[in-house]
Amino acid sequence: MAIFTKPKLLFLFFFVLSLFLTTQCDDQNPRGQDPRIELESCLRQCQVQGQRKQRPEQQLQCQRSCVEQYEQRQREQEQQHRGQETGDDNPGRQEELNPCKRDPERRFKVCQQKCQRQEQEQGQQQQRKCQQRCQQEYQREQEQQCGGGEDETNPQREKEEEKNPYLFESQRFRSWFRARHGDFRVLEKFSERSELLRGIENFRVAVLEFEPQSFMLPHHCDAEAIFVVVRGQGIISIAEQDEKNSFNLQQGDVIRVPAGSTVYFLNRDNNERFFVYMLAKPVNVPGRFQEYFSAGGENPESFYRAFSSDILETAFNTPRDKLERLFGQQKQGVVIKVTEEQIRAISEHASRSTKQTEGEIQGPFNLLKERPLFGSKFGQFFEATPERFQQLRDLDSAVGFMNINQGGMVLPYYNTRSTTLVMVVEGKGRFEMACPHLGSQSQRQGQGSRGGRGGQEQEEQDEGNVHYQKVRGNLNVGDVLVVPAGHPITFIATGNSNMRMVGFGTNAHNSRKNFLAGQQSIWRNVEREAKELSFNMPAKEVEEILQNQDQSYFVAAPEHRQQHRERGEEGRKGEQQYISSILDFVF
C-alpha cells in the first residue's frame, strides 16, 4: 500500500523546493537587501526630513537610528558567516574580505558623536555643518572604496568608454601589493590603451592610500615622482646617502621625490585615511617602473634575499643565522599598523617648511594656499607651474586643482602645450571634448566601408579634411581623464555636491589655458574683419554671439540655467547659494 498519494507527493515536493530556495536566499541576504544600501537609503531619508522640518536634533536622532539598525544587521550577517566559515578564528576576517563594509560606517558614527558634543559647545548651527561634513565624508569613502555607485554598472557609460581612449575609470587601477592596512594602485600604461596616447607613454599615475595610524615600509623607486596629497595628513621621510629629511604633509601639499631616494610614509591621523596621487616618470624602461624594498622579509620580499649568504655575511659582518632571522620576520605586508609611541618617534623631527641647500629646494609646498590662477562664484582653479616652482622643472610638469561648485560648469578651453592627467577626488560630473584624431578615424572607417582608399594615401588625403568627434562621459571619484594638448574641453559638476579634481600636466613649460567663450575668450583679441571673414557673417552679428557671455571661466551649468529660467526671480535669488569662498575649497 502506498504511503503517499500523488497530490500529497506534489505538495511535499513543492514544500521542500520552496524551503530550499528560501534558505538559499537567506544565506545570500538575511532580509533580502544589502545592509549598506539600507543604510544609505535611511541616511538620505533623514537628510530629506531634516531639510523639510529644519530640526537638526531630529535629523541627528534619525541618523543615529540608521547606524544602529545597520550595525544590528551587520552583527546578524557576521554571526551567520562565522557559522558557515568554520575554522576561521580571525576576528577581522569579514573586513578583510570586504574592506568597504565597516570602516566608513564606524568613522561615520564617531563623527556623529563629535557633532553631538559640538552642539553643547558651539550651538546648533555649527552642529548642522558638522553633520553635513560627516555625511559628505561617509559618501565620499563609499564612492572611493566601493566603486562609485550607480554609474559603475551603467551600460551606456561602458559603451561610451569603449570608444573613448581618454577616460580611465577607477577600476582600471591595479593593486601592486598585498597590504591589509593600505593600498598602492597603478593605472595601466597609457599607450597600451591607445596609440593616440604614445606621447605620454613614459608617464604613469598611481594612488597611495593608507588607513589611520599605518606605516609604509622604506623603499626606493626607479622613477622620478611627484606626490600630491588630496586627503588626510601624514609624514613622508626621504633618506639619501648624506642626509635625511622628514616633512609633515596635509591636503594640497605637492612634493617632488628624485628617483632612487629611499622613501617611507606614515599616516599619523587616528580617524582619517591618507590619500596621495602620484605621477611617475620611469628612468629605466619607458613606461615601466618598479619599487625596491630593502626592508621586509617574506611580505614584502626584501631585495637583500636575492644575494648569496656569504655575500651578506661579508657585507654586514654578521653571522648567517642572524641575517636569515632579520630578513624572514616581516610577513605583514607593505603597509602595517603602528602604535602611538611609534608615531610620536617618527614624527619628532618632521618639518612643515621647504629647505634650500646649494641652490636646490627640497620639501613640499601647498598649492591650495596660493592665489587661484582664475576663478568665479562657480569655481576656482589653482596651478603650480615649472616656471614658478623649481621642484617641477626637471620633469617639465605642472600640478593643478580645479573645483567646480554644485550646478557649475567650466567654460570651454584648451591647453596650448600640456597634456593633462586629471583625477576626480570628490563629487561627480561629466565632460565633453572635441577630438580630431577620433573624428578622422571614424571618417576613414566610413570611407573604407564604402570602398574608399586606404593606407598612407588615405591618411595624407585626410590631413586637409578635418572632422571633430564629440568625446563625452561621466566622471566619478577615482576616474582619470587624459586631456591632450589643443583639445577643447569642458567639465560640468553634477549631483548634489561640488566636483573637485587634481591634475598633472606634462610638457608644461610655457603652456597656457586659452578660453573659447566668456569675458576672457581669445575671440576678444581677434579683429572684427577677421571674425567677419571667418564666419561669413557681418562682424557685428558675430560679436553679438561670441561676446554675449558676460562671465569668465566658470558659469552655471545648462541644467542649472534651465531651472533659473523656469523659476524666474526665485531662481536668481537661489543663485546666491553657489557663492563660495576660496577657503571653502581647501578640503
Side-chain angles (χ1 to χ4, degrees):
M1 181 177 178
I3 298 177
F4 296 109
T5 62
K6 184 176 294 185
K8 288 183 177 180
L9 283 171
L10 288 173
F11 173 80
L12 181 63
F13 170 78
F14 283 113
F15 174 78
V16 172
L17 178 61
S18 64
L19 182 63
F20 171 77
L21 292 175
T22 302
T23 304
Q24 289 294 101
C25 292
D26 287 344
D27 287 344
Q28 296 286 336
N29 195 339
R31 296 186 189 176
Q33 190 173 11
D34 188 338
R36 182 169 56 83
I37 297 176
E38 285 186 355
L39 175 62
E40 293 174 354
S41 176
C42 184
L43 291 174
R44 283 195 296 269
Q45 292 176 8
C46 292
Q47 188 175 14
V48 172
Q49 292 173 4
Q51 291 172 350
R52 289 176 180 172
K53 299 179 180 179
Q54 296 182 345
R55 295 178 181 175
E57 64 277 2
Q58 291 185 358
Q59 184 180 0
L60 179 60
Q61 182 61 38
C62 178
Q63 291 171 338
R64 287 195 200 120
S65 177
C66 292
V67 175
E68 290 172 359
Q69 292 176 14
Y70 170 81
E71 290 182 337
Q72 177 62 28
R73 292 289 311 279
Q74 283 291 93
R75 285 192 292 270
E76 292 175 1
Q77 282 198 347
E78 288 176 2
Q79 289 173 0
Q80 186 174 12
H81 282 303
R82 278 197 292 269
Q84 294 171 352
E85 295 185 1
T86 57
D88 188 358
D89 298 327
N90 184 355
R93 173 64 172 168
Q94 292 306 313
E95 291 185 32
E96 187 174 0
L97 291 174
N98 192 352
C100 67
K101 255 193 187 310
R102 291 192 60 86
D103 279 350
E105 285 77 17
R106 184 185 297 115
R107 284 192 288 274
F108 178 76
K109 185 176 181 181
V110 172
C111 188
Q112 291 279 330
Q113 292 171 349
K114 290 182 179 179
C115 292
Q116 186 179 8
R117 291 194 297 269
Q118 191 172 11
E119 177 185 11
Q120 301 171 356
E121 299 172 359
Q122 302 180 17
Q124 290 187 357
Q125 184 177 3
Q126 292 298 325
Q127 186 217 22
R128 192 180 302 115
K129 292 182 179 179
C130 181
Q131 292 173 8
Q132 292 173 353
R133 286 195 299 270
C134 291
Q135 189 153 357
Q136 289 172 0
E137 181 65 23
Y138 165 76
Q139 292 173 347
R140 184 166 58 222
E141 288 191 358
Q142 286 295 328
E143 290 176 350
Q144 180 74 44
Q145 297 181 24
C146 304
E150 297 176 359
D151 288 334
E152 179 187 354
T153 56
N154 187 338
Q156 179 64 25
R157 185 184 183 203
E158 293 176 357
K159 185 177 180 181
E160 287 184 350
E161 191 188 349
E162 289 177 0
K163 300 178 181 179
N164 179 5
Y166 302 111
L167 178 60
F168 295 77
E169 64 177 6
S170 59
Q171 286 76 11
R172 288 186 175 270
F173 282 88
R174 293 291 178 264
S175 293
W176 277 24
F177 304 110
R178 292 179 291 122
R180 181 177 175 186
H181 302 293
D183 201 3
F184 180 59
R185 302 187 298 274
V186 182
L187 192 63
E188 62 186 292
K189 189 177 178 181
F190 291 112
S191 58
E192 290 179 358
R193 179 78 180 276
S194 172
E195 285 294 303
L196 295 175
L197 303 181
R198 282 179 298 176
I200 55 171
E201 65 178 347
N202 198 32
F203 288 94
R204 302 292 296 273
V205 294
V207 294
L208 294 88
E209 190 169 4
F210 310 103
E211 285 187 359
Q213 297 184 314
S214 61
F215 173 78
M216 186 176 191
L217 302 185
H219 63 281
H220 69 267
C221 181
D222 59 351
E224 302 285 349
I226 299 173
F227 296 98
V228 181
V229 180
V230 296
R231 190 177 308 135
Q233 56 182 351
I235 292 175
I236 183 173
S237 295
I238 306 172
E240 304 282 3
Q241 181 69 39
D242 301 319
E243 63 176 339
K244 177 233 178 181
N245 291 295
S246 290
F247 300 100
N248 289 304
L249 299 177
Q250 62 184 17
Q251 295 164 337
D253 276 346
V254 180
I255 186 169
R256 160 78 184 282
V257 176
S261 300
T262 296
V263 176
Y264 48 98
F265 289 91
L266 172 70
N267 182 359
R268 61 183 183 180
D269 196 90
N270 295 327
N271 300 305
E272 191 173 13
R273 284 177 171 255
F274 184 42
F275 189 89
V276 180
Y277 187 34
M278 171 186 176
L279 175 70
K281 186 176 182 181
V283 296
N284 281 331
V285 182
R288 294 182 60 183
F289 68 96
Q290 184 66 54
E291 281 72 30
Y292 299 80
F293 284 89
S294 52
E298 294 183 8
N299 180 26
E301 181 181 5
S302 169
F303 58 67
Y304 283 117
R305 292 166 62 98
F307 289 93
S308 304
S309 297
D310 57 341
I311 297 293
L312 293 178
E313 284 182 315
T314 303
F316 289 101
N317 192 26
T318 301
R320 179 177 307 186
D321 57 342
K322 289 187 177 182
L323 290 170
E324 289 177 352
R325 183 172 179 271
L326 175 66
F327 299 122
Q329 289 288 102
Q330 180 58 265
K331 301 177 183 179
Q332 300 177 63
V334 172
V335 184
I336 61 176
K337 281 289 186 179
V338 289
T339 66
E340 291 280 358
E341 184 179 353
Q342 290 169 328
I343 290 175
R344 284 194 297 270
I346 297 175
S347 307
E348 184 177 357
H349 301 291
S351 169
R352 263 299 308 155
S353 59
T354 58
K355 297 181 179 180
Q356 186 165 357
T357 56
E358 298 181 358
E360 292 187 3
I361 299 175
Q362 297 177 323
F365 61 89
N366 194 284
L367 182 53
L368 297 181
K369 293 182 179 178
E370 300 288 321
R371 291 186 60 184
L373 183 64
F374 54 79
S376 75
K377 63 186 179 183
F378 289 102
Q380 304 87 28
F381 179 72
F382 300 77
E383 186 176 42
T385 63
E387 289 85 2
R388 291 187 57 222
F389 294 90
Q390 182 181 350
Q391 298 97 313
L392 305 177
R393 289 176 192 167
D394 290 348
L395 290 180
D396 193 11
S397 298
V399 181
F401 277 91
M402 181 178 287
N403 173 59
I404 305 177
N405 293 342
Q406 178 186 348
M409 178 185 90
V410 62
L411 289 170
Y413 71 93
Y414 65 89
N415 295 308
T416 56
R417 295 187 70 250
S418 179
T419 293
T420 309
L421 316 175
V422 179
M423 185 177 72
V424 181
V425 298
E426 186 175 336
K428 294 184 179 182
R430 59 188 179 92
F431 74 95
E432 288 194 3
M433 181 171 70
C435 178
H437 309 299
L438 293 179
S440 299
Q441 286 181 0
S442 62
Q443 204 170 44
R444 285 197 297 270
Q445 290 172 359
Q447 291 173 351
S449 64
R450 295 190 297 270
R453 300 179 182 181
Q456 184 176 356
E457 182 181 355
Q458 181 64 53
E459 290 184 10
E460 292 175 353
Q461 198 175 49
D462 288 340
E463 285 180 356
N465 186 18
V466 181
H467 171 68
Y468 301 97
Q469 176 94 9
K470 179 196 296 184
V471 181
R472 62 182 178 182
N474 296 321
L475 295 170
N476 291 303
V477 172
D479 291 351
V480 172
L481 179 68
V482 178
V483 183
H487 285 50
I489 189 168
T490 181
F491 294 96
I492 302 99
T494 60
N496 299 320
S497 65
N498 297 355
M499 181 171 72
R500 290 165 176 164
M501 300 175 288
V502 58
F504 290 114
T506 64
N507 299 323
H509 186 69
N510 287 334
S511 184
R512 296 175 57 87
K513 281 180 169 53
N514 283 346
F515 279 84
L516 301 168
Q519 286 291 314
Q520 306 302 323
S521 169
I522 58 172
W523 284 106
R524 294 182 180 272
N525 294 322
V526 177
E527 294 87 350
R528 289 170 57 89
E529 293 75 14
K531 295 173 187 174
E532 189 171 78
L533 291 168
S534 299
F535 293 96
N536 194 24
M537 287 176 59
K540 182 178 180 181
E541 292 184 34
V542 175
E543 290 184 340
E544 284 178 354
I545 297 173
L546 294 182
Q547 298 176 195
N548 190 46
Q549 177 58 263
D550 59 357
Q551 298 189 54
S552 300
Y553 309 121
F554 298 92
V555 297
E559 299 86 351
H560 186 57
R561 285 170 55 85
Q562 181 63 30
Q563 291 175 4
H564 276 215
R565 291 193 186 101
E566 295 172 355
R567 294 174 183 173
E569 185 64 30
E570 181 182 351
R572 284 191 291 275
K573 291 180 181 178
E575 188 176 87
Q576 298 301 317
Q577 65 179 305
Y578 295 97
I579 301 177
S580 65
S581 68
I582 295 173
L583 293 177
D584 291 333
F585 178 54
V586 182
F587 52 93

